Amino acid sequence: MSGTPSQETPAGCGLEVLWDDRLITYDFGSGHPLNPVRVELTMALAREFGLLDRPNVRVVPFETADDKLLGLVHDEGYIAAVKRCGETGLPDPRHGIGSTDNPVFLGMHDASALVAGASVAAARAVWTGGSEHAANIAGGLHHALADAASGFCVYNDPAIAIAWLLDNGAERVAYVDVDVHHGDGVQAAFYDDPRVLTISLHESPRTLFPGTGFPGETGGTGAEGTAVNVALPPGTGDGQWLRAFDAIVPPLLEAFRPEILVTQHGCDSHSLDPLAHLTLSVDGQRTAYAKLHRLAHRLAGGRWLVTGGGGYELVQVVPRAWTHLLAEAAGGPIDPETATPDPWRAFVRERTEEVAPRRMTDGTAEVPVASWADGIDPASPLDQAVLATRRAVFPEHGLDPMTDS
């Protein structure tokens, strides 16, 4: 599936949105941070903007992932345990089911397999040429392990989608994870596989779950340099985060030359998120989406698979961030100064009793970024973190940690 990269500044791209109203049944119950209303409000906002009615955008149904697909990543005994717990309502601590993070809910298997099915369908659409880009906004459950639920994640849909791509001829898949938490489950699934480059930019594991994602985690024997971890200091904001991104992601993707780019877009890096300690704005997140879009066209033949992820400020952050993501993937970004539609704000009040944000920006249309090429500040915790990652992995890709060449 090699291809000629498309234009560097994409516009009007074909986008397939994998959606089924049953996706909001992935629900751990009242009071749990991963409230599916965040996905419901995102899709409602996208519809109010007419995003899903654009001629280049298709909203399509899909099949639930069967046991064979789930088994590309998860152990047979674990799948059986998820089914059993979802039918009986009883926990299974051996498999991480029934904890505070991952409480049992009836229908757990069906809801989780549906999310996985959406990501596999998105992978199939992009890989076979059915669509240039595809998105599963309810996906991105990147913490689930082969034999255990973890971090609100039952089945690891990004890893399953990547495994499907490998089974169907992909030889170089790049996965970039911008969630505030380390993409540990995806990294673990492909730690020894040189065909998959995993890059995770996350808050330092010294201060945040899951406690992994140090720069020294670089891949197993024969896959050295294919696990990349940028452990960002608490308090990192837009300009610093984007500086780290620019210093790590483009040079590594250029060296790896992926055939397809898979991205996870947890927006819990926002300053309002209640579970973490970075300080990005919706504008910084929107800027990152545009950068990944351009990289997909420049380096992966335009093939881009997009998933959601974390994000626990359910009204003020997630719907705006992911609507920007869908608009970017469709090649027609929304002007950040645009007002949120009145009907959507009314729907938010009806569903949540909260006051919705009035604009699609947090107030910074253009985020200033100091280029890594302009020099390094040895006293900066951010620059120290970036340099640790570059030193750990750049030589494995024939790159100089200090110069990108």
Side-chain angles (χ1 to χ4, degrees), residues 140 142 175-183 199-203 230 232 241-242 245 249 261-270 278 280 284-289 291-292 295 304 306-311 321-322 325:
H142 60 168
Y175 171 77
V176 179
D177 188 319
V178 301
D179 196 289
V180 78
H181 302 91
H182 177 225
I199 304 176
S200 179
L201 296 95
H202 49 265
E203 184 180 330
V230 189
L232 300 166
W241 192 99
L242 292 166
F245 180 98
V249 178
L261 178 62
V262 179
T263 54
Q264 194 269 19
H265 293 272
C267 52
D268 39 9
S269 57
H270 195 279
L278 298 191
L280 274 69
Q285 294 170 335
R286 171 180 53 81
T287 303
Y289 307 157
K291 287 176 178 289
L292 287 164
L295 287 167
W304 189 24
V306 171
T307 71
W322 287 351
L325 175 61

Side-chain angles (χ1 to χ4, degrees), residues 228-251:
V228 180
N229 290 290
V230 189
L232 300 166
T236 297
D238 288 339
Q240 289 183 313
W241 192 99
L242 292 166
R243 174 175 169 82
F245 180 98
D246 289 346
I248 297 293
V249 178

Side-chain angles (χ1 to χ4, degrees), residues 10-330:
C13 307
L15 172 64
E16 193 165 289
V17 178
L18 285 301
W19 180 251
D20 185 310
D21 288 342
R22 293 176 299 156
L23 285 167
I24 63 173
T25 64
Y26 188 89
D27 186 356
F28 289 107
S30 176
H32 193 279
L34 194 77
N35 188 326
V37 75
R38 67 201 189 116
V39 180
E40 184 181 0
L41 295 180
T42 298
M43 294 299 289
L45 183 56
R47 288 192 182 98
E48 286 295 338
F49 274 122
L51 202 162
L52 305 180
D53 296 322
R54 294 181 185 178
N56 61 315
V57 176
R58 291 189 303 139
V59 180
V60 297
F62 55 90
E63 299 293 328
T64 299
D66 60 19
D67 288 4
K68 181 178 179 181
L69 280 175
L70 298 174
L72 294 175
V73 167
H74 295 289
D75 295 347
E76 182 178 342
Y78 173 61
I79 298 169
V82 174
K83 290 180 178 179
R84 183 171 60 250
C85 294
E87 291 169 355
T88 65
L90 298 175
D92 186 341
R94 295 170 303 167
H95 294 291
I97 305 171
S99 65
T100 302
D101 277 359
N102 312 296
V104 178
F105 63 93
L106 295 178
M108 174 182 281
H109 167 78
D110 293 337
S112 304
L114 189 69
V115 175
S119 288
V120 171
R124 183 182 294 111
V126 174
W127 187 244
T128 60
S131 183
E132 199 168 17
H133 308 329
N136 173 19
I137 212 68
L141 305 178
H142 60 168
H143 292 307
L145 302 171
D147 63 351
S150 178
F152 315 160
C153 305
V154 177
Y155 294 137
N156 195 318
D157 63 284
I160 294 166
I162 292 169
W164 182 91
L165 288 165
L166 298 176
D167 262 15
N168 284 271
E171 297 179 353
R172 296 184 311 282
V173 179
Y175 171 77
V176 179
D177 188 319
V178 301
D179 196 289
V180 78
H181 302 91
H182 177 225
D184 58 332
V186 182
Q187 174 180 288
F190 305 107
Y191 201 68
D192 299 313
D193 194 331
R195 297 173 296 173
V196 182
L197 174 70
T198 63
I199 304 176
S200 179
L201 296 95
H202 49 265
E203 184 180 330
S204 171
R206 298 186 187 280
T207 56
L208 194 67
F209 175 90
T212 58
F214 289 97
E217 299 168 32
T218 60
T221 302
E224 295 86 353
T226 60
V228 180
N229 290 290
V230 189
L232 300 166
T236 297
D238 288 339
Q240 289 183 313
W241 192 99
L242 292 166
R243 174 175 169 82
F245 180 98
D246 289 346
I248 297 293
V249 178
L252 287 174
L253 290 185
E254 190 158 346
F256 188 70
R257 303 298 296 186
E259 296 166 298
I260 183 170
L261 178 62
V262 179
T263 54
Q264 194 269 19
H265 293 272
C267 52
D268 39 9
S269 57
H270 195 279
S271 61
L272 294 179
D273 196 90
L275 300 188
H277 315 98
L278 298 191
T279 59
L280 274 69
S281 69
V282 165
D283 300 292
Q285 294 170 335
R286 171 180 53 81
T287 303
Y289 307 157
K291 287 176 178 289
L292 287 164
H293 191 184
R294 289 194 294 270
L295 287 167
H297 281 268
R298 183 160 67 88
L299 300 174
R303 288 180 288 272
W304 189 24
L305 166 55
V306 171
T307 71
Y312 309 100
E313 208 329 301
L314 308 174
V315 172
Q316 303 301 318
V317 177
V318 179
R320 290 187 299 155
W322 287 351
T323 297
H324 275 305
L325 175 61
L326 290 172
E328 177 63 46

